[in-house]
Amino acid sequence: MSLTDKAIAQIRQLIASGVLPPGAKLPPEPELAAQLGLSRNLAREAVKALSVARVLEIRRGDGTYVTSLQPSLLLEGLGGAVELLQGDPGAVLDLMEVRRLLEPAATALAVARLSDERLAEVKRHLDAMREARDDVERLNAHDVAFHRAIVDVTGNETLITLLEGISGRTLRARIWRGLVDTRAAARTLAEHEGIYAALATRDAVLCHAAALVHVNSTEQWLREHLKSTEALPVTGPLE
């Protein structure tokens, strides 16, 4: 470990042990450095690194505080990392495997906590997807919202953030563009309808199966089309 890494680990240990709980204000830099046996430069670098990771918040003119440490905050950078990985076909497929593991389980988990109001919200996004079948941008937006509405029902902030991070909007948009171009959008829309129908039955096993079929179908389609850069570009900005 570098000296900076060791300094970061020392501050993280103070937080993990409860010496500096969420919301706590860190001692002034000279005092923090002395307490940890560090130079002021090392203490400053460690604080900067932890602020980038959203563990600490530097408030100009006030001091440095431990953040809320909520999963949605600490895992916020995952989505950005996923965007950077999208130029690597192998990494994209790895992400789809992770989605295949998590999304069906999340869909099944949602069943026990699903109210009529939440089900109606899922239905609204499904209806909007049907109407937008020829508009990739709108189709993608409602696809994201459809799955987010389901996972939100779980109330599991960590699961919500993880799935949102690995199912990036950019990747979904590229997939939808490819599906529309190859006339496979109707099949994928039918899979979304199957997920909604399963949710409406409040059958967790059926929901898991419907979500698994959908993610697996998308993954298989993606594997085939990643072989052809013309079918599904994975580098460069969206047009």
Side-chain angles (χ1 to χ4, degrees), residues 170-192:
T170 304
L171 179 57
R172 284 185 185 273
R174 288 172 174 153
I175 290 172
W176 270 117
R177 177 160 294 161
L179 288 169
V180 169
D181 288 347
T182 58
R183 306 177 188 273
R187 183 198 67 215
T188 306
L189 280 169
E191 290 167 4
H192 283 80

Side-chain angles (χ1 to χ4, degrees), residues 1-224:
M1 293 175 68
S2 69
L3 291 176
T4 301
D5 288 338
K6 289 180 180 178
I8 292 170
Q10 285 179 268
I11 297 175
R12 287 172 60 94
Q13 180 55 36
L14 291 176
I15 296 170
S17 66
V19 173
L20 291 172
K25 184 177 182 179
L26 270 65
E29 185 180 284
E31 185 180 332
L32 177 65
Q35 179 181 338
L36 297 176
L38 304 170
S39 69
R40 290 184 61 177
N41 282 340
L42 274 177
R44 188 179 305 121
E45 289 302 314
V47 166
K48 285 181 180 178
L50 288 169
S51 68
V52 171
R54 308 303 296 273
V55 174
L56 298 177
E57 178 186 1
I58 300 173
R59 302 178 188 174
R60 300 299 177 188
D62 185 12
T64 301
Y65 291 79
V66 180
T67 64
S68 65
L69 302 180
Q70 292 296 309
S72 58
L73 186 66
L74 298 181
L75 296 172
E76 193 175 68
L78 179 61
V82 167
E83 295 296 321
L84 293 174
L85 290 171
Q86 287 182 24
D88 179 349
V92 169
L93 292 175
D94 286 347
L95 290 168
M96 285 301 299
E97 286 185 350
V98 175
R99 183 183 168 198
R100 176 158 44 89
L101 290 171
L102 294 181
E103 195 164 295
T107 306
L109 180 61
V111 172
R113 307 168 189 179
L114 183 65
S115 65
D116 290 342
E117 292 75 17
R118 290 295 190 97
L119 183 63
E121 181 183 354
V122 175
K123 176 75 160 48
R124 282 195 295 274
H125 291 299
L126 177 60
D127 291 341
M129 287 175 68
R130 293 192 191 105
E131 294 174 5
R133 66 175 60 223
D134 296 319
D135 184 332
V136 172
E137 186 174 342
R138 286 178 56 217
L139 189 58
N140 181 58
H142 287 291
D143 176 30
V144 172
F146 174 90
H147 291 287
R148 174 63 192 255
I150 294 170
V151 182
D152 276 351
V153 174
T154 69
N156 186 317
E157 190 175 351
T158 299
L159 185 58
I160 292 166
T161 308
L162 283 173
L163 276 170
E164 192 166 83
I166 65 173
S167 301
R169 288 176 180 269
T170 304
L171 179 57
R172 284 185 185 273
R174 288 172 174 153
I175 290 172
W176 270 117
R177 177 160 294 161
L179 288 169
V180 169
D181 288 347
T182 58
R183 306 177 188 273
R187 183 198 67 215
T188 306
L189 280 169
E191 290 167 4
H192 283 80
E193 291 170 355
I195 293 171
Y196 170 77
L199 285 168
T201 68
R202 265 63 172 192
D203 185 325
V205 175
L206 187 59
C207 286
H208 187 284
L212 181 59
V213 165
H214 169 54
V215 179
N216 187 66
S217 174
T218 303
E219 181 183 347
Q220 292 304 313
W221 182 90
L222 187 58
R223 285 183 184 279
E224 293 171 7

